[in-house]
Amino acid sequence: MPASNNSTVNVDYEVIIVGGGMVGLSLAGLLLEQNIKVAVIDPKAVESDWPEDSIGQRVSAITRASERLFKQINAWDFIGQHEKAPYQRMFVWDGESSRGKIEFDASLIAQQNLGHIVENRVLRRSLFQAIERERQLGWLCPERCVSVDYQQDYAKLELESGRQVTARLLVAADGAFSWLRKASGVGQEQKPYGHKAIVCAVKTEKPHQQTAWQRFDHHGPLAFLPLADAHYCSIVWSVDEDYADELLALGHEAFAARLSQAFESTLGEVSLATKPVAFPLIERSAETMVAHRLALIGDAAHTIHPLAGQGVNLGFSDAVELATAIKNSLQKGADIGLQRCLRPFERARKSEIKAMQLAMQGFKRLFEQEVPLIQMARSYGLALTDKHPLLKQKLIQKAMGL
């Protein structure tokens, strides 16, 4: 679709995306599909080669909705079968109770799987491979932005190299500490969870059974996410900040022993495959997702607790909705950078994001309670939900984006 608008000012690109991570590249793919001239700016080159036996530190749980996006922009085929780990089941239990558990199975909704676990570096590489040969793409990487200037008809970025580039619309997709958001004067509300997430890869004695496992106790949730090798998982262990520091101070064997104990040895003995690292968990919300010639997506706009594995999937949904808003504006001959033309995107996304943030806050507060009566109530709640197939179907479909 050729780009058109009411302005007579020439620009270098219709859209410049600041941030070439997974979410930024997914938006680029959607816009290039519409034949829109797009530039992507990022300080880090795309990693495309690594030792065959290495394991990436960070992974994402890709929902079926996000899988559809990857297929639409032809990125899914660039992920090798050995690089994506489908999971058929989710098993969640309350570590403070013997009754509180719930199991989700793909067969309940006649699906082959509930989603895939894929390393973040693989996702970024596959998205780049899908778009790198597009003639409408400007790939400014590695490159950094040093200043931004918003005019009536365009926005201008000055780069560290001295180059200046202009566009009708700038998109902040540069993460939770977004340079573009800050440089554009968009404020941010922060609510620390008081948790740190510890991530690493582990080898397990027993096979993971293509199951995503999650155990809750008063310290926080511990997830074992299945990798392609049946004896390897990626873990996300969200715990109080002080306890996280205590765990990270342990040697590898002592950490693995503490991890096995917290996981109730569900998959037998555990050994570390990568070094554990931790990062603080903070709920963030930008004061607005749109402004004059600016839109925010992904972690630049919002962050949530990782306990439901929905963070990056919310970002992918942002990209889909923004691409739709841009397409609709172009079809009407409207200026894609006007705030009023971006409002439909913000309205479409804010309710889902807020609902997810409230749900994550609620789950965290519920499971950190050590009051016996509350523990008993949540235990019975999980058990009752597990006995209602229709309710479980709806929960699965919502989580998968179906």
Side-chain angles (χ1 to χ4, degrees):
M1 179 190 301
S4 64
N5 53 64
N6 297 326
S7 174
T8 58
V9 176
N10 291 324
V11 292
D12 298 308
Y13 301 95
E14 287 300 309
V15 180
I16 295 177
I17 302 167
V18 178
M22 297 178 289
V23 173
L25 291 180
S26 67
L27 175 63
L30 289 166
L31 297 179
L32 290 166
E33 189 182 44
Q34 300 177 41
N35 198 31
I36 295 172
K37 195 173 183 182
V38 179
V40 178
I41 302 173
D42 196 276
K44 292 183 179 179
V46 175
E47 190 180 5
S48 60
D49 190 32
W50 44 80
E52 189 174 341
D53 59 349
S54 72
I55 302 175
Q57 192 73 274
R58 300 291 299 276
V59 303
S60 294
I62 300 301
T63 65
R64 297 302 286 276
S66 296
E67 179 184 336
R68 283 199 303 269
L69 164 60
F70 271 68
K71 288 179 175 177
Q72 179 183 341
I73 60 179
N74 301 314
W76 194 249
D77 288 342
F78 285 104
I79 305 175
Q81 288 300 321
H82 66 288
E83 295 178 318
K84 49 194 173 193
Y87 57 99
Q88 274 73 42
R89 297 168 59 235
M90 284 187 65
F91 190 83
V92 180
W93 76 102
D94 186 345
E96 313 282 0
S97 166
S98 60
R99 295 188 182 89
K101 59 183 177 63
I102 187 169
E103 181 178 351
F104 300 100
D105 196 301
S107 62
L108 190 63
I109 53 170
Q111 294 287 325
Q112 287 187 334
N113 59 65
L114 298 174
H116 293 79
I117 306 299
V118 188
E119 293 178 11
N120 288 4
R121 63 184 182 179
V122 170
L123 292 169
R124 187 179 186 225
R125 185 208 67 205
S126 69
L127 286 161
F128 175 66
Q129 288 174 323
I131 66 173
E132 62 178 323
R133 292 183 176 83
E134 295 288 338
R135 63 181 182 85
Q136 294 283 64
L137 173 67
W139 183 250
L140 309 179
C141 175
E143 184 66 276
R144 291 182 184 275
C145 303
V146 295
S147 70
V148 61
D149 179 29
Y150 292 98
Q151 297 294 324
Q152 181 62 33
D153 295 328
Y154 66 93
K156 179 173 66 176
L157 286 165
E158 183 177 352
L159 308 181
E160 198 171 55
S161 62
R163 180 177 177 181
Q164 294 183 343
V165 286
T166 57
R168 303 281 175 219
L169 175 66
L170 303 182
V171 178
D174 48 343
F177 304 102
S178 171
W179 173 89
L180 183 55
R181 185 192 66 239
K182 294 175 185 175
S184 302
V186 176
Q188 182 190 64
E189 182 183 4
Q190 298 191 36
K191 298 179 183 178
Y193 287 105
H195 274 186
K196 285 184 179 178
I198 301 173
V199 297
C200 67
V202 299
K203 184 177 182 181
T204 60
E205 179 185 3
K206 299 176 184 177
H208 55 56
Q209 305 159 50
Q210 293 189 319
T211 299
W213 309 84
Q214 191 164 41
R215 178 187 184 271
F216 288 87
D217 64 20
H218 65 277
H219 286 301
L222 168 59
F224 272 57
L225 306 175
L227 298 177
D229 187 305
H231 287 274
Y232 283 84
C233 291
S234 178
I235 70 130
V236 184
W237 196 1
S238 304
V239 296
D240 302 335
E241 292 179 345
D242 290 344
Y243 189 45
D245 293 340
E246 178 187 329
L247 290 169
L248 291 174
L250 298 173
H252 282 196
E253 288 187 7
F255 178 90
R258 192 80 65 91
L259 178 63
S260 297
Q261 181 183 20
F263 198 54
E264 300 180 15
S265 299
T266 302
L267 297 178
E269 290 187 15
V270 173
S271 59
L272 300 190
T274 63
K275 180 182 177 181
V277 297
F279 52 92
L281 297 177
I282 302 171
E283 179 188 293
R284 300 178 178 90
S285 300
E287 64 183 14
T288 182
M289 292 182 72
V290 298
H292 180 64
R293 307 215 170 272
L294 174 68
L296 285 74
I297 61 174
D299 285 357
H302 48 77
T303 60
I304 62 170
H305 200 289
L307 68 87
Q310 289 297 316
V312 74
N313 293 295
L314 284 177
F316 290 142
S317 294
D318 291 347
V320 170
E321 203 63 51
L322 180 56
T324 299
I326 291 171
K327 179 180 179 180
N328 291 341
S329 292
L330 289 174
Q331 287 177 336
K332 297 171 185 175
D335 186 338
I336 63 172
L338 296 181
Q339 190 170 3
R340 62 178 171 81
C341 294
L342 296 166
R343 286 291 186 197
F345 153 70
E346 182 178 49
R347 286 196 297 270
R349 296 301 302 138
K350 271 207 162 180
S351 58
E352 181 187 0
I353 292 162
K354 189 62 178 177
M356 187 65 71
Q357 288 177 330
L358 289 172
M360 295 308 98
Q361 288 280 4
F363 274 120
K364 176 185 175 291
R365 286 194 292 268
L366 177 63
F367 280 96
E368 67 187 5
Q369 295 293 327
E370 297 185 70
V371 179
L373 192 59
I374 296 177
Q375 290 179 344
M376 185 183 299
R378 77 184 182 212
S379 172
Y380 276 106
L382 282 173
L384 286 171
T385 303
D386 196 42
K387 296 184 189 311
H388 286 76
L390 289 178
L391 178 57
K392 286 169 65 174
Q393 282 181 347
K394 292 186 181 299
L395 290 172
I396 294 172
Q397 289 167 341
K398 178 67 176 174
M400 294 173 66
L402 296 176

